[in-house]
Amino acid sequence: MSKTNKDAEHAAKREAIRMAQMDFSSLRTTIIENVLRAMNEAYERVKISLILPKLIEDRQMLAKVVTGTQFEGAIPLINDFLRRRDIILKEHRPPLMDHGMVKIIDYFQRNQSIYTLFPQLMNSMSDNERKLVVVFQKLIDMAKAHLERDAKAQIQQERYLQGVYAENEKLKENIKQIEDQIAAHRIELRWKAAAKKSYLAKIAEELRVKKEQHEEKIERETERYRRSALANVRNSQDKQIELAEDLEKIRFESEKLDRDNKKLEKEGRDEKNKLQIQLQGIIRKYDTVIGEKLVENLDLTDLLNEAKKKLDEYMVTYRKEQAIYNEIVVKREKAEERKRQQAILHYMMHRAACKIQRYWRAWRKHLQKKNRRGKRK
């Protein structure tokens, strides 16, 4: 193997290594910019396509606006089409079968920025046309957001979802703890009610016993009063007053105990209602948050699927146009390479001719000198 072939092989290997070590981030940025530029160009073509029928219908307005601008080439195309419109309608020729209409569409598609000269037409579009423009703009925004989102943003989103999941689990634990507290409070209320019932039964029994004792005591005092009516009248009255005060005091204590028990029962009922309201509020908040997150996730998934579908449809057309573009570039490069080789060959031939002429003149001078020396001799 010659040295030239070895050098070429080493150069090819170095070039392959350099291409392999190319920064992927810059390559990705370039691809994203190309995709967004193609989508924006398609967006501009959609705008001019929406107002193109109105421009063809109002030729005078079109001629008045584009005269003196770089888009004057549209006027003769429109005039030529309008001159042949009756023939086209008479022959029932489809619009895309007419060469003039194809040239008009091609001209306005290549010069899509012409729509900026007609803001009144852009503002007077129908609702469906406005929806199409808005949807296309949203598609571009969504594509830009998804294309520019890198792995770091995806990881951050996953972490956020994990945080939401952790908060959800924590909320479930809190709800379970509150339910356990309510159950424990119910058991505590049952125990308090049982204790209260037992205490009231005890008080009633004590009152019954005291009442029986007082009745027996009154009977004894009455009997004794009968035996000593006159002598013990004052003592009996004092004793009855004392017993009445004791009875009133016992009745007052019984009523106070009833009020305290009712107050405790009301406080327990209020605490139970408060905890139930808090539980219902937490459950409603949990249902609302989860519902909103689910709806938002479904909407985003639908939009993403729709955008992916439209992007796939667009990429088919983009690949076809890219193949045509690559074919044109290859032909152009081959033609330029051929011209360069011809220029090199011409330069080499010219230089060889110059050297031959110099050698020829030198040889002639040498021959003339030699001839002159021979004549002298």
Side-chain angles (χ1 to χ4, degrees):
M1 184 180 291
S2 63
K3 183 178 181 181
T4 305
N5 293 334
K6 289 183 178 180
D7 294 339
E9 184 178 356
H10 288 307
K13 289 182 179 180
R14 287 195 297 269
E15 182 65 19
I17 293 172
R18 187 183 66 82
M19 292 298 293
Q21 292 176 350
M22 182 182 292
D23 188 3
F24 180 74
S25 62
S26 61
L27 179 61
R28 179 176 179 271
T29 303
T30 304
I31 294 173
I32 291 173
E33 290 177 354
N34 292 334
V35 172
L36 293 178
R37 183 168 58 254
M39 294 186 71
N40 288 322
E41 184 177 354
Y43 181 46
E44 300 294 325
R45 291 185 177 184
V46 168
K47 289 181 180 179
I48 189 61
S49 298
L50 291 175
I51 66 172
L52 181 57
K54 299 178 182 178
L55 295 177
I56 295 175
E57 292 177 359
D58 197 347
R59 183 183 62 83
Q60 295 180 355
M61 184 266 291
L62 173 66
K64 180 180 178 181
V65 174
V66 301
T67 300
T69 64
Q70 59 179 344
F71 307 114
E72 287 184 347
I75 298 176
L77 295 175
I78 299 296
N79 292 335
D80 181 66
F81 174 75
L82 294 177
R83 186 173 58 255
R84 294 180 294 102
R85 183 170 58 181
D86 295 335
I87 299 174
I88 295 171
L89 294 176
K90 184 177 179 180
E91 294 178 357
H92 299 286
R93 191 185 307 169
L96 296 180
M97 294 299 293
D98 181 66
H99 183 64
M101 176 56 71
V102 174
K103 290 173 66 178
I104 291 173
I105 294 174
D106 182 64
Y107 180 84
F108 280 94
Q109 289 292 321
R110 284 186 288 105
N111 301 276
Q112 65 268 18
S113 60
I114 195 174
Y115 78 91
T116 58
L117 301 177
F118 304 94
Q120 67 279 8
L121 294 180
M122 297 300 297
N123 295 329
S124 61
M125 288 191 299
S126 63
D127 294 338
N128 292 330
E129 292 173 346
R130 290 180 183 276
K131 289 180 181 179
L132 178 60
V133 173
V134 172
V135 168
F136 213 100
Q137 181 63 46
K138 289 183 178 180
L139 176 61
I140 293 175
D141 295 338
M142 290 175 62
K144 183 177 180 181
H146 286 287
L147 288 174
E148 291 180 352
R149 185 175 61 186
D150 54 0
K152 182 178 180 181
Q154 188 70 23
I155 292 173
Q156 290 178 353
Q157 186 178 8
E158 291 294 334
R159 289 178 177 175
Y160 172 74
L161 293 177
Q162 290 179 359
V164 173
Y165 177 78
E167 291 180 358
N168 185 17
E169 293 296 327
K170 185 176 180 180
L171 183 61
K172 289 182 179 179
E173 292 178 359
N174 293 334
I175 292 174
K176 185 177 179 181
Q177 291 178 359
I178 293 174
E179 290 178 349
D180 294 339
Q181 291 177 359
I182 292 174
H185 186 69
R186 288 176 178 173
I187 295 173
E188 184 179 358
L189 289 177
R190 291 194 189 98
W191 280 105
K192 288 183 177 181
K196 176 184 174 182
K197 186 176 181 181
S198 175
Y199 182 72
L200 291 175
K202 181 179 179 182
I203 295 297
E205 182 64 23
E206 290 179 355
L207 290 174
R208 186 184 65 78
V209 172
K210 287 183 178 181
K211 185 177 180 181
E212 291 179 354
Q213 291 176 357
H214 286 298
E215 288 178 354
E216 292 176 357
K217 191 174 182 179
I218 290 171
E219 288 178 358
R220 288 196 300 271
E221 292 296 330
T222 303
E223 185 66 24
R224 192 172 60 179
Y225 174 77
R226 288 176 182 176
R227 289 193 300 265
S228 54
L230 295 176
N232 297 325
V233 169
R234 186 175 297 274
N235 292 330
S236 178
Q237 291 178 351
D238 294 338
K239 198 68 174 176
Q240 288 180 0
I241 293 171
E242 183 180 355
L243 291 173
E245 290 177 354
D246 292 337
L247 181 61
E248 185 65 25
K249 184 176 180 181
I250 292 171
R251 187 182 296 109
F252 176 75
E253 290 178 355
S254 177
E255 292 177 354
K256 182 179 180 181
L257 184 60
D258 291 336
R259 287 194 300 270
D260 293 339
N261 291 330
K262 289 180 180 179
K263 183 177 180 182
L264 291 175
E265 184 179 0
K266 184 176 181 299
E267 289 177 355
R269 194 184 306 110
D270 293 339
E271 184 68 20
K272 175 184 175 182
N273 294 332
K274 181 179 179 182
L275 292 174
Q276 287 180 348
I277 292 171
Q278 290 179 356
L279 177 61
Q280 292 175 358
I282 292 172
I283 292 173
R284 284 196 298 269
K285 182 178 179 182
Y286 170 77
D287 293 338
T288 303
V289 172
I290 295 301
E292 291 176 354
K293 294 296 181 182
L294 289 175
V295 172
E296 182 180 357
N297 189 17
L298 291 175
D299 292 340
L300 291 175
T301 303
D302 294 339
L303 292 175
L304 178 60
N305 293 332
E306 184 178 356
K308 285 183 178 178
K309 183 178 179 182
K310 292 183 178 179
L311 181 60
D312 293 338
E313 295 175 355
Y314 173 75
M315 287 302 294
V316 174
T317 306
Y318 173 73
R319 292 190 185 98
K320 293 180 180 178
E321 294 181 357
Q322 188 179 19
I324 297 171
Y325 172 75
N326 291 333
E327 183 179 357
I328 295 171
V329 170
V330 170
K331 290 181 179 178
R332 181 69 177 272
E333 290 178 352
K334 288 182 179 179
E336 291 179 354
E337 182 65 22
R338 186 165 53 254
K339 290 181 181 179
R340 189 163 50 253
Q341 293 294 334
Q342 289 176 356
I344 293 171
L345 180 60
H346 178 73
Y347 171 75
M348 292 172 65
M349 293 175 66
H350 177 72
R351 183 169 179 173
C354 291
K355 287 186 176 182
I356 292 171
Q357 289 178 0
R358 285 197 300 271
Y359 291 146
W360 169 252
R361 292 191 189 101
W363 181 79
R364 285 185 62 186
K365 288 180 181 180
H366 176 72
L367 185 62
Q368 288 175 1
K369 290 179 180 179
K370 184 177 180 181
N371 292 331
R372 283 196 295 269
R373 286 194 300 268
K375 289 179 180 181
R376 289 174 184 175
K377 289 179 180 182

